[in-house]
Amino acid sequence: MNRFDQGSLGVMRQLAGGGLYGLPVYDLVMVTYYNKDIFDRFGVSYPKDGITWEETIELAKKLTRNEDGKQYLGLVVSPAHYIRLNQLSVGAMDPKTEKATLNNEQWKKLFDSVFKAQGNMPDYMKYVTDNKNKMPYKDEFLKTKTLAMFVYLSDLHTANQEVMDQMNWNMATAPVFKDMPKTGTQTYPFFWNIASNSKNKDASMEVLKYLTSDEYQLIVSKRGEMTSLKNADIRKEMGRDMNFNNINYNAVYANTPAASAPRHKFEQIAQKPVENIIAEVVTDKVDVNSALRRVDDDANKALDAEKKK
């Protein structure tokens, strides 16, 4: 078991009450994808591994501008993914009490440093408002190509190979907090499990052994996906079989993943109000303190309703 990233195994053990019902075959973290053409257009230096949130926001300010009738945006952080995989390892609810835990200083830090900061620019606010309060996302990076930096799961380039093959892009680590300079986001592992009622458990285990073997994990890495193993030789082969050239795949592994936040089967229900209020925070319709009080209350109501089903 020491072959695996221990953070990934921790996710399963939390969900399974200490058990281990399967093994991680793939893994994901969040990284910063960036469009080099936009940086070059405005003469701004590319982000580097280890860049802080403050430094990233300063880059975003230089890149958020309207030119020739086109609105460029400096930074977008995928809300749902970052809420779930945040570097402070805070969850939206307490698994023991089944109550929301959103109105506290850690969530305030996340909102102030990430979500409020990314949108705290007049052009950005106007863009969200004009877009009917819909936050910018993949389309701005992949289709209109007006987004300079996109903090997203590390499978964006494998899921969109044909599009990104036509882009001038690279990646860096997701921004870090100054007081946590080597802590990346939490991991997002994909487990293959053996069902308790399976009639072919031994055969299933042989398949699982192969999927987690060095041989297969090398294939995973070469096709641009994140291996679930700690093997440095396998990790350094990441992307070898892809068409992309000179990509900083080391960004996926450069930081230590944050510890897994407390997990519960209702966690996403508690997270939903947080996702829903981000556009209001970005456009100054509600301040961060008021937003956290509201989402905490909304999450508790949603949790109560779910428990009554």
Side-chain angles (χ1 to χ4, degrees), residues 39-291:
F39 279 82
D40 294 344
R41 181 185 184 98
F42 299 127
V44 178
S45 299
Y46 305 143
K48 296 180 179 179
D49 290 348
I51 191 171
T52 65
W53 282 109
E54 290 84 355
E55 292 167 336
T56 301
I57 296 301
E58 288 306 308
L59 285 182
K61 289 178 181 177
K62 297 176 182 177
L63 296 159
T64 302
R65 59 173 79 181
N66 195 301
E67 185 169 289
D68 297 330
K70 183 179 289 188
Q71 180 60 59
Y72 292 93
L73 301 172
L75 173 68
V76 167
V77 181
S78 177
H81 296 116
Y82 191 74
I83 289 166
R84 194 172 304 152
L85 304 179
N86 70 80
Q87 290 144 309
L88 300 184
S89 302
V90 292
M93 63 174 290
D94 184 330
K96 295 179 180 178
T97 64
E98 295 188 340
K99 294 291 185 181
T101 54
L102 291 162
N103 189 15
N104 57 45
E105 288 302 311
Q106 287 179 301
W107 276 103
K108 186 176 187 304
K109 180 177 181 178
L110 289 176
F111 265 77
D112 285 337
S113 303
V114 181
F115 298 118
K116 176 59 181 165
Q118 85 173 12
N120 198 19
M121 304 163 221
D123 281 350
Y124 195 107
M125 291 184 190
K126 184 177 185 304
Y127 185 91
V128 175
T129 301
D130 292 347
N131 205 28
K132 298 180 180 178
N133 283 339
K134 180 183 176 183
M135 294 289 289
Y137 200 55
K138 283 185 189 177
D139 283 356
E140 283 78 3
F141 191 74
L142 297 172
K143 292 184 179 180
T144 63
K145 298 180 178 58
T146 52
L147 173 59
M149 292 180 286
F150 188 30
V151 180
Y152 189 77
L153 296 174
S154 54
D155 66 344
L156 186 70
H157 62 286
T158 56
N160 301 275
Q161 291 185 51
E162 291 186 8
V163 175
M164 293 185 69
D165 193 36
Q166 306 301 314
M167 291 178 63
N168 186 17
W169 66 278
N170 209 329
M171 66 167 78
T173 55
V176 297
F177 290 103
K178 285 192 296 187
D179 56 347
M180 302 168 62
K182 292 297 293 181
T183 302
T185 62
Q186 299 168 58
T187 60
Y188 198 80
F190 285 73
F191 284 85
W192 286 52
N193 309 308
I194 300 175
S196 60
N197 60 354
S198 170
K199 296 179 181 179
N200 298 289
K201 290 181 181 176
D202 289 340
S204 299
M205 191 63 203
E206 290 304 312
V207 174
L208 193 52
K209 282 181 183 179
Y210 175 68
L211 292 174
T212 57
S213 68
D214 286 359
E215 178 185 359
Y216 183 73
Q217 287 296 308
L218 182 59
I219 295 171
V220 167
S221 186
K222 284 184 175 181
R223 68 188 185 201
E225 298 174 42
M226 186 178 178
T227 176
S228 60
L229 305 182
K230 296 189 295 185
N231 188 312
D233 291 334
I234 292 175
R235 289 182 171 190
K236 72 181 182 182
E237 293 297 312
M238 187 173 182
R240 183 63 61 91
D241 290 343
M242 303 192 80
N243 292 329
F244 309 128
N245 296 316
N246 301 317
I247 299 299
N248 175 33
Y249 291 112
N250 183 62
V252 172
Y253 302 110
N255 288 332
T256 301
S260 176
R263 303 285 176 176
H264 189 279
K265 61 182 179 180
F266 294 159
E267 179 72 20
Q268 290 190 32
I269 293 170
Q271 289 172 355
K272 198 63 180 176
V274 188
E275 298 173 36
N276 293 340
I277 208 167
I278 288 173
E280 292 184 53
V281 172
V282 164
T283 53
D284 276 346
K285 289 182 174 62
V286 61
D287 65 86
V288 171
N289 291 327
S290 299

